[in-house]
Amino acid sequence: MGTAENLIGGGGGPVRPAEPPPYWRYTLHLASLAAAADEADEAERVAAVLRDPDRVMAESALVTHLDRRAARLLADERFQDWAHAVGAALEGRAFPVARLREWSLLKSVSQGEPWSAAELCAASDWCQRTAVALLTSYEALRLLADAGRTRRVRHAAAQRLVRRPSL
């Protein structure tokens, strides 16, 4: 005999939930986003994820996807098109929009494009830690060694500068 939760409904058989639990949907969202054929398809899939009733889980899945995808596209010329398409679909979602903006900043610094020291200094702890781990720009590492938000960022940037010849 099953537990009471499995027997609800009087039929004796297990009752299936109306929709999968959040952790299953999170995984399904990530798989769907990763399978996008192009930027337009990805933007549509982002919009579909944002319709999930669990806003926190949906945004978490999106940020995980953004981190994975942006890291792969960082040195790719398609980054800007991707960021524009996905950014339009993220409209009104502060945290994913901020994460995408920070990836765009990291792209600018890593590719030698114009970037703002004030913006890098004001970036989140996550962005500054990621910058220290990924970037080879002497200017950016020196800035973070001197003015990073946390002692951890300042120390890591200083260590990267000491080891700079291997960058």
Side-chain angles (χ1 to χ4, degrees):
M1 186 130 219
T3 62
E5 298 88 39
N6 291 333
L7 298 175
I8 295 173
V15 174
R16 300 197 189 278
E19 63 181 47
Y23 56 89
W24 288 358
R25 291 195 325 273
Y26 176 88
T27 302
L28 292 171
H29 289 325
L30 286 177
S32 171
L33 291 163
D38 56 27
E39 287 85 8
D41 183 33
E42 189 170 357
E44 289 176 22
R45 291 171 188 243
V46 165
V49 171
L50 289 173
R51 288 190 295 271
D52 191 285
D54 186 340
R55 182 182 178 118
V56 172
M57 181 275 303
E59 288 186 8
S60 178
L62 285 172
V63 169
T64 298
H65 173 71
L66 290 176
D67 289 348
R68 291 174 179 175
R69 185 89 155 105
R72 284 193 313 269
L73 290 174
L74 204 56
D76 194 312
E77 62 189 33
R78 296 175 297 162
F79 183 94
Q80 289 305 98
D81 293 336
W82 168 78
H84 181 69
V86 171
L90 292 174
E91 191 66 35
R93 301 295 179 113
F95 184 63
V97 167
R99 182 59 63 93
L100 184 59
R101 185 174 46 252
E102 289 183 331
W103 273 111
S104 294
L105 172 63
L106 293 171
K107 164 116 172 75
S108 295
V109 176
S110 72
Q111 297 301 305
E113 299 166 359
W115 56 278
S116 160
E119 188 177 6
L120 186 57
C121 285
S124 70
D125 294 349
W126 170 87
C127 183
Q128 290 188 358
R129 286 192 312 270
T130 303
V132 169
L134 294 178
L135 300 180
T136 58
S137 164
Y138 176 81
E139 184 182 359
L141 290 171
R142 171 63 25 215
L143 177 66
L144 291 172
D146 293 340
R149 290 170 53 105
T150 65
R151 189 175 16 207
R152 178 180 174 185
V153 166
R154 292 188 300 274
H155 176 73
Q159 290 301 110
R160 288 283 314 273
L161 286 167
V162 169
R163 296 187 312 258
R164 189 165 196 295
S166 66
L167 293 178

